[in-house]
Amino acid sequence: MTPAVKVVSDLFMIVLSILAAPSDMKEFRLDLIQHSGQVETVLVRRTDTGFIWYDQTGEKLIERGTIRPAADKKDVYLLKLDNAPEQTFDFPASLKDFSLEGLRKATRLDLKANDGVVIYVRRSGGAVYLTPQNGQATYACH
């Protein structure tokens, strides 16, 4: 039996977490909370065509990448990060019974990826938390 192709990666979780933010949030922070206690934070701004993701160094914002929907493909997103090639994230092909609307509105949701990893989605106090099963981090949008 061949092992399933790995679906759930850090970038996959970051894009999924950004998409999980309620559609009325125009600007929010995404915290990558390592289970060791270390926290990395980026600023995300919603645009007419998707999202822009920034690192913040003191008072200065540095654009790191963009996330936008793929043309003519429902729930497929393209990530352009720094000078790296554009990456495609096809959520319906990667997650069983995926619904972007459900992701943005559910208080509790367990998503199962095709590689067998379960992603726990929880909302509390205006924030959304995504934690992959056996992962080393929780992703929080607030």
Side-chain angles (χ1 to χ4, degrees):
M1 178 184 224
T2 59
V5 174
K6 182 176 179 174
V7 172
V8 179
S9 66
D10 283 334
L11 286 178
F12 179 92
M13 288 300 302
I14 288 169
V15 174
L16 185 64
S17 298
I18 289 170
L19 294 177
S23 55
D24 63 345
M25 290 179 79
K26 301 300 179 205
E27 182 174 292
F28 53 92
R29 300 210 178 277
L30 170 62
D31 295 333
L32 171 58
I33 306 163
Q34 301 286 341
H35 292 184
S36 65
Q38 181 181 357
V39 178
E40 295 177 45
T41 302
V42 297
L43 177 72
V44 179
R45 289 186 176 149
R46 191 179 303 269
T47 69
D48 291 338
T49 57
F51 302 89
I52 301 175
W53 158 12
Y54 301 90
D55 278 338
Q56 188 168 0
T57 308
E59 299 279 324
K60 187 175 181 179
L61 291 178
I62 301 165
E63 185 176 322
R64 286 287 316 276
T66 59
I67 300 168
R68 63 182 174 82
D72 303 323
K73 294 184 181 176
K74 183 177 167 78
D75 297 334
V76 176
Y77 289 83
L78 304 172
L79 169 66
K80 178 70 175 123
L81 187 61
D82 293 331
N83 294 323
E86 194 167 63
Q87 295 183 50
T88 301
F89 294 91
D90 186 340
F91 291 105
S94 303
L95 298 167
K96 292 177 177 43
D97 302 321
F98 179 77
S99 159
L100 183 58
E101 191 70 19
L103 176 67
R104 285 189 176 150
K105 292 190 174 185
T107 302
R108 296 177 61 91
L109 181 66
D110 296 345
L111 298 171
K112 186 164 186 180
N114 292 339
D115 61 2
V117 174
V118 176
I119 301 167
Y120 305 103
V121 181
R122 304 295 184 258
R123 291 186 189 282
S124 177
V128 59
Y129 303 90
L130 289 86
T131 306
Q133 172 190 35
N134 301 327
Q136 298 300 311
T138 294
Y139 302 78
C141 288
H142 57 96

